[in-house]
Amino acid sequence: MVFNSLAFFVFLACAFSLYWLIPKQYLRAQNLLLLVASYVFYGWWDWRFLSLIAFSSVIDYSVGRQLAHTKVASQRKRWLALSLLTNLGVLGVFKYFGFFVESFAGLLTALGISANVPTLSIILPVGISFYTFQTLSYTIDIYREQLDPIDDVIAFFAFVSFFPQLVAGPIERAANLLPQFQTARTFTRAGGAAGLQLILWGLFKKVVIADNLASVVDLVFGNYGGYSGQDVAVASVFFAVQIYCDFSGYSDMAIGTAKLFGFDLMRNFATPYFATSIQDFWRRWHISLSTWFRDYVFIPLGGNRVNAAKHARNIMLTFLLSGLWHGANWTFVVWGGIHGLLYLPRIVLPKRWRWPRKWQPIVGWLTTIPVVVLAWIFFRANSIGHAVGLLLHVGLGGWGTSQLATVQYAVALPLMMLSAIVIGLFVVEYLQRDKACPLFLPNWPVLGRWAAYYGVIALILFYGKVNATPFIYFQF
Amino acid sequence: MNVLLRFLWRGLLFSLPLLALIGYIEWHLFRTGDSWSGSRIAQAHLAREAELIFARGYFGQQFNVDKTAIINAVQPDIVVLGSSRVMQVRADSFKPLAASVYNGGGLLQGIEDLADYVTLVETGQVHQSQVIVIGIDPWWFRPDYSGYGWLTPTEYAADDVQTLAAHALVWRDLMTQRQLGTLRTLPSALQLTPLDNTVGIGWPALLDAEGFHSDGSNAYDAELVAITQQDSTVTNLGDPQSIANIQAHGAKRFQNLATDAAKVQILTESIQRLQAQGSKVYVFVPPFTDEAVAIFETDPVYQAWWATWLEPIDAGIAGLGLTLPDALAPADYGLDDTYMWDAIHPGEPLSGLALQTALQANATADSPYDWTQLTFTPPATPLLINAR
């Protein structure tokens, strides 16, 4: 079930009504309802893979309890290893097995060795990268004695499978989300309104902007030889906007949906394309993943409290792994590598080489965002060769002419208008940058607010692509 | 709970204009019959003896749902199957035989759809008629051509009208196409169409008398009908592009034409399965225009294929005791191209004649009807049997 489908909204209305019909003193009953709803939500896609979530939940619940009762360091390590092996093993089999086998076979072939390696056709379960990382944070935090294990099995299972953020995050930390399953939730008007505003804004970004831009991007990236270099450059910028609106749209809807049930999830995006450095970008983009890698990979490797060479190594390793997390393809690894390389000048160059503070925002933006857009080409391309072909075509494919008019039929609104809406989006986001959602308009009169909401609803109705295209991050 | 109720009340207040608009649209969709389900349309067929035309304006052309529902409700003795090229066969073509006839034209978009239809008959999901007449198209036998796959046991009754998603798309279409005002002026379902003597279900039927007749045949819109009545020599009215497509080897139908033995086998096996169920099966090829046939015979791209495409099919059905009349154009029936709606769709009189020729060529003593009694003669009106 995807957020931009009618089935989801019917499901949400049912789950919301039943949930709040249960008095708040029956916390376990509310949690049980959330658990059942989450399994229905996930099972709607493929019920067979519910067993994977249940398996991860059983293992990590048990490991958490064992860690609490064990003080012997070696035993604690073994329990943690069990959790790591289980979760990363499931991830490895379902997500990376084919990739590693094919890469190995490719390597053998390159060395002149005839390779006949077995391959398996394995379906990638939706959201597996998200919920395995979330449940891993639980056992690792208990191992580090930063978190107490939970006794309530229903609350734990509901935490692992919590449907608003199950398939594409935000990847919540157990320390933030689990306590919310253990305390009574109260419905507030402000929370409910914020939830609906987030859902509306997220839906707008997804179906009006991301899905319409996707129609253009798919056509140009799928047959870049038929377009000018200028068109490919435009399509690359479009993809940068598309993936932002697609993923942040999902996150907004996830956070908004959770709010309707009385939960507060962490913010996942904070106007990332206004970032003035790569560090700033990663403080604003997919915050839940970047902080996860910071806390569970970068810092354990030594973080930045080491010499410059090791710092650079830690940065590169973290970003390469982050790239691989996104998908079993070398394109994602290269994408991560580009971001890692962007960090290096700040580590290796002396501070006096930096731009004067007053110039930093504009120069930082101009040197960061274009490279981020360029890196997205690798993220979107089918292969390294495809990405290189696209990049070469930007330079050699000619500028000054455009064939983009030929893609007009695939878009629900004129390209110029779509571009105007995109610019409008960024203007609104800039003006409302101190708020988690641009539709938070507390000082506006009621009629003004409602007019703004109806304006967004009208854009969705008139220009939204309503064929429930899955969110990009579902594949990760 | 009070906070929640107040929140819901406020939410309802906010949504009221949108809900009112949706309610307005839904009311008119129901009132015009546009959102009626296939089974409801079928019940309307059963309830009315007068001529009836139905067509959905906003829920797509789901012949599979509507026509199979009507076949099940009406339970015709004779059913005619094929693509849009058999849609012009009228029940009147079977006079004076006392048999109920339904035209399932449009149900088969490829030979695979025929096999699926047979499965529905075998499993009792679709009524088994005594006589099943199949009109075939040459492109069905191309190796790379396939049907819609909409007559499988899971698809044949999957009615869009019963899904919220389809309704949402219709709301959006009506709002964005600024046709809300038009809705208000539409007549209601089972009102007279512009043709006076017929009733209509669905927007196109009520506005233009366009859709399907009670017997399942195609009802061309009132404007086209009026043109045929003013000028009986006009051609290519139905689809003026169709002859250009043949000349240009264009559209999906006219590319890579060939007869694949595997596709012929699907046809013969389907006929055998229907015969095993006790149905009498007949096959015919709806005519093309003389102009189209001349292109097929002389164009280097088509020439070799056209000369031989029927041979494997002839041989296949001959093994089942059936004969395929060698008449593929109006001239073969002593008529001309004015008896065709366009390059590939015969008019009603020519369709009746082609059908009669096929049935009489296969008249046997064990037929449930004596086809030799068919006395259909083409009327002076070249495209329509009954002046409407």
Side-chain angles (χ1 to χ4, degrees):
Chain A
M1 201 183 297
V2 289
F3 282 176
N4 52 331
S5 68
L6 277 165
F8 172 72
F9 286 102
V10 173
F11 161 83
L12 181 61
C14 296
F16 177 83
S17 309
L18 291 172
Y19 178 80
W20 289 113
L21 276 175
I22 301 171
K24 65 179 178 185
Q25 56 269 36
Y26 296 103
L27 187 62
R28 280 173 67 84
Q30 279 190 330
N31 287 342
L32 184 62
L33 187 123
L34 284 178
L35 175 62
V36 171
S38 298
Y39 273 50
V40 168
F41 174 84
Y42 194 82
W44 202 273
W45 170 70
D46 192 330
W47 60 269
R48 292 169 302 173
F49 290 117
L50 283 172
S51 57
L52 284 180
I53 299 181
F55 179 61
S56 279
S57 304
V58 168
I59 293 292
D60 288 323
Y61 177 77
S62 308
V63 167
R65 308 239 338 137
Q66 292 299 331
L67 284 171
H69 296 124
T70 310
K71 297 295 172 200
V72 182
S74 60
Q75 286 182 359
R76 289 174 62 79
K77 272 188 181 162
R78 275 201 289 274
W79 284 116
L80 179 66
L82 174 65
S83 171
L84 290 170
L85 281 173
T86 303
N87 288 297
L88 297 179
V90 167
L91 199 56
V93 168
F94 282 90
K95 188 164 179 175
Y96 298 108
F97 180 80
F99 169 67
F100 284 123
V101 167
E102 284 169 21
S103 298
F104 181 63
L107 180 67
L108 290 180
T109 308
L111 293 172
I113 303 167
S114 175
N116 186 18
V117 291
T119 54
L120 293 175
S121 179
I122 301 174
I123 302 169
L124 179 64
V126 166
I128 190 169
S129 307
F130 291 89
Y131 68 76
T132 50
F133 269 41
Q134 178 158 310
T135 183
L136 268 179
S137 81
Y138 171 75
T139 48
I140 296 171
D141 285 356
I142 293 174
Y143 176 78
R144 291 173 171 177
E145 298 184 336
Q146 294 169 344
L147 181 73
D148 291 326
I150 187 171
D151 289 331
D152 186 343
V153 67
I154 292 173
F156 181 77
F157 272 59
F159 154 74
V160 176
S161 62
F162 189 41
F163 76 87
Q165 41 86 248
L166 172 61
V167 290
I171 302 167
E172 276 296 336
R173 301 302 177 77
N176 175 44
L177 190 54
L178 255 181
Q180 297 186 57
F181 280 97
Q182 295 171 289
T183 48
R185 274 91 60 177
T186 308
F187 183 84
T188 63
R189 199 183 115 188
L196 291 180
Q197 287 155 354
L198 279 160
I199 290 171
L200 182 60
W201 186 245
L203 188 65
F204 162 72
K205 283 196 284 188
K206 168 64 179 166
V207 302
V208 176
I209 300 181
D211 287 352
N212 275 305
L213 287 175
S215 304
V216 181
V217 172
D218 290 350
L219 285 171
V220 176
F221 274 54
N223 175 34
Y224 63 86
Y227 297 88
S228 66
Q230 173 187 307
D231 289 341
V232 176
V234 169
S236 303
V237 175
F238 276 7
F239 178 68
V241 180
Q242 179 203 338
I243 194 164
Y244 166 63
C245 288
D246 191 285
F247 192 20
S248 72
Y250 179 89
S251 290
D252 287 347
M253 294 183 79
I255 296 166
T257 304
K259 274 192 188 298
L260 291 179
F261 292 85
F263 288 83
D264 282 318
L265 301 183
M266 70 183 294
R267 193 175 182 185
N268 215 15
F269 289 86
T271 57
Y273 289 135
F274 292 110
T276 55
S277 67
I278 195 67
Q279 291 88 340
D280 191 23
F281 179 79
W282 280 103
R283 280 193 291 270
R284 295 159 174 263
W285 179 277
H286 203 174
I287 300 165
S288 63
L289 181 74
S290 57
T291 52
W292 198 99
F293 270 99
R294 180 196 66 199
D295 294 346
Y296 299 111
V297 178
F298 179 68
I299 291 175
L301 283 171
N304 56 6
R305 295 181 179 176
V306 287
N307 62 41
K310 283 188 176 170
H311 184 187
R313 179 205 64 185
N314 296 344
I315 284 285
M316 287 308 296
L317 271 176
T318 304
F319 272 103
L320 290 172
L321 280 174
S322 164
L324 194 59
W325 175 89
H326 281 84
N329 194 326
W330 289 108
T331 52
F332 294 113
V333 179
V334 172
W335 171 78
I338 292 172
H339 279 269
L341 288 173
L342 276 175
Y343 259 81
L344 296 188
R346 193 168 266 262
I347 297 169
V348 298
L349 295 178
K351 280 188 178 176
R352 65 176 184 279
W353 285 32
R354 290 182 190 169
W355 290 91
R357 187 176 291 271
K358 68 175 180 180
W359 290 102
Q360 173 52 34
I362 185 69
V363 174
W365 188 86
L366 286 172
T367 52
T368 303
I369 300 305
V371 186
V372 167
V373 172
L374 180 144
W376 284 130
I377 292 178
F378 282 89
F379 194 94
R380 172 62 179 76
N382 305 323
S383 64
I384 300 285
H386 184 211
V388 171
L390 283 159
L391 282 170
L392 288 174
H393 198 74
V394 170
L396 307 173
W399 284 66
T401 57
S402 175
Q403 288 80 40
L404 277 183
T406 59
V407 303
Q408 189 66 66
Y409 67 90
V411 190
L413 68 171
L415 271 185
M416 289 302 288
M417 189 163 171
L418 180 57
S419 305
I421 290 176
V422 168
I423 292 167
L425 166 89
F426 286 114
V427 170
V428 169
E429 287 209 334
Y430 184 78
L431 294 174
Q432 293 285 80
R433 62 189 178 281
D434 58 332
K435 299 188 178 69
C437 172
L439 289 181
F440 291 171
L441 306 164
N443 299 324
W444 285 34
V446 173
L447 283 181
R449 282 205 306 271
W450 284 21
Y453 305 151
Y454 260 104
V456 175
I457 290 170
L459 284 171
I460 292 171
L461 277 174
F462 277 63
Y463 301 120
K465 288 210 148 188
V466 291
N467 51 356
T469 315
F471 290 83
I472 294 175
Y473 265 67
F474 274 29
Q475 64 187 294
F476 306 142
Chain B
M1 190 57 88
N2 280 343
V3 177
L4 181 62
L5 287 177
R6 275 205 300 274
F7 176 78
L8 291 176
W9 172 245
R10 209 176 158 88
L12 183 67
L13 205 63
F14 173 79
S15 312
L16 219 50
L18 197 61
L19 293 176
L21 188 59
I22 288 170
Y24 173 82
I25 291 171
E26 281 296 331
W27 162 243
H28 284 294
L29 286 173
F30 186 78
R31 198 176 65 91
T32 56
D34 234 68
S35 60
W36 287 12
S37 65
S39 56
R40 191 183 176 93
I41 292 167
Q43 290 310 312
H45 272 74
L46 276 183
R48 291 202 68 89
E49 291 185 3
E51 171 68 338
L52 180 151
I53 294 175
F54 89 86
R56 289 169 175 170
Y58 273 93
F59 284 94
Q61 297 187 323
Q62 288 198 292
F63 309 147
N64 56 337
V65 174
D66 304 328
K67 288 203 165 183
T68 52
I70 293 168
I71 288 170
N72 281 338
V74 174
Q75 305 207 339
D77 302 323
I78 300 172
V79 70
V80 183
L81 298 174
S83 68
S84 63
R85 290 181 359 99
V86 306
M87 277 184 188
Q88 296 73 23
V89 173
R90 303 299 312 268
D92 283 2
S93 309
F94 290 86
K95 282 182 177 173
L97 299 177
S100 61
V101 179
Y102 190 75
N103 185 330
L107 281 175
L108 309 186
Q109 298 293 329
I111 199 69
E112 295 81 2
D113 291 336
L114 174 63
D116 289 337
Y117 185 88
V118 176
T119 302
L120 293 178
V121 170
E122 285 173 337
T123 54
Q125 288 162 285
V126 166
H127 168 72
Q128 184 194 343
S129 297
Q130 278 181 304
V131 172
I132 296 175
V133 186
I134 303 162
I136 57 172
D137 292 339
W139 42 86
W140 287 3
F141 300 94
R142 239 172 58 185
D144 58 345
Y145 196 94
S146 56
Y148 280 1
W150 63 354
L151 293 176
T152 61
T154 52
E155 289 295 317
Y156 85 101
D159 198 343
D160 270 0
V161 164
Q162 291 167 350
T163 69
L164 194 54
H167 281 259
L169 281 172
V170 173
W171 304 335
R172 175 231 184 92
D173 282 350
L174 281 164
M175 288 182 206
T176 55
Q177 292 169 19
R178 298 182 186 85
Q179 290 184 326
L180 293 173
T182 317
L183 272 180
R184 193 171 47 81
T185 61
L186 285 174
S188 300
L190 302 177
Q191 298 277 310
L192 289 180
T193 73
L195 297 176
D196 293 342
N197 56 350
T198 57
V199 295
I201 302 173
W203 187 337
L206 290 165
L207 273 187
D208 302 319
E210 184 182 4
F212 293 109
H213 294 290
S214 299
D215 64 7
S217 64
N218 199 18
Y220 288 91
D221 72 61
E223 192 182 346
L224 277 184
V225 171
I227 294 172
T228 65
Q229 285 165 351
Q230 286 162 11
D231 180 0
S232 62
T233 63
V234 65
T235 55
N236 281 326
L237 263 176
D239 177 11
Q241 185 64 30
S242 60
I243 191 71
N245 283 336
I246 294 173
Q247 285 165 330
H249 319 115
K252 193 182 165 192
R253 293 183 181 117
F254 305 110
Q255 297 166 358
N256 312 320
L257 285 161
T259 303
D260 181 15
K263 301 278 182 168
V264 177
Q265 195 177 349
I266 296 175
L267 173 68
T268 53
E269 283 177 359
S270 299
I271 295 170
Q272 276 178 314
R273 288 164 63 193
L274 287 171
Q275 288 173 333
Q277 293 289 310
S279 292
K280 285 295 281 184
V281 184
Y282 303 91
V283 182
F284 78 112
V285 184
F288 298 92
T289 52
D290 293 323
E291 184 184 14
V293 169
I295 296 170
F296 289 140
E297 286 174 342
T298 56
D299 187 307
V301 174
Y302 297 123
Q303 212 169 26
W305 160 75
W306 182 255
T308 58
W309 79 272
L310 262 177
E311 287 173 9
I313 299 167
D314 270 333
I317 66 170
L320 302 171
L322 292 170
T323 303
L324 203 54
D326 188 21
L328 300 173
D332 298 327
Y333 296 95
L335 302 173
D336 60 31
D337 281 355
T338 59
Y339 282 77
M340 296 284 296
W341 278 105
D342 52 48
I344 60 173
H345 293 102
E348 292 173 358
L350 179 55
S351 290
L353 203 55
L355 190 82
Q356 180 174 288
T357 306
L359 293 172
Q360 290 183 338
N362 289 281
T364 53
D366 63 341
S367 290
Y369 300 98
D370 182 2
W371 304 121
T372 58
Q373 286 185 12
L374 288 175
T375 55
F376 178 72
T377 45
T381 50
L383 291 171
L384 300 166
I385 289 178
N386 300 316
R388 291 182 288 173

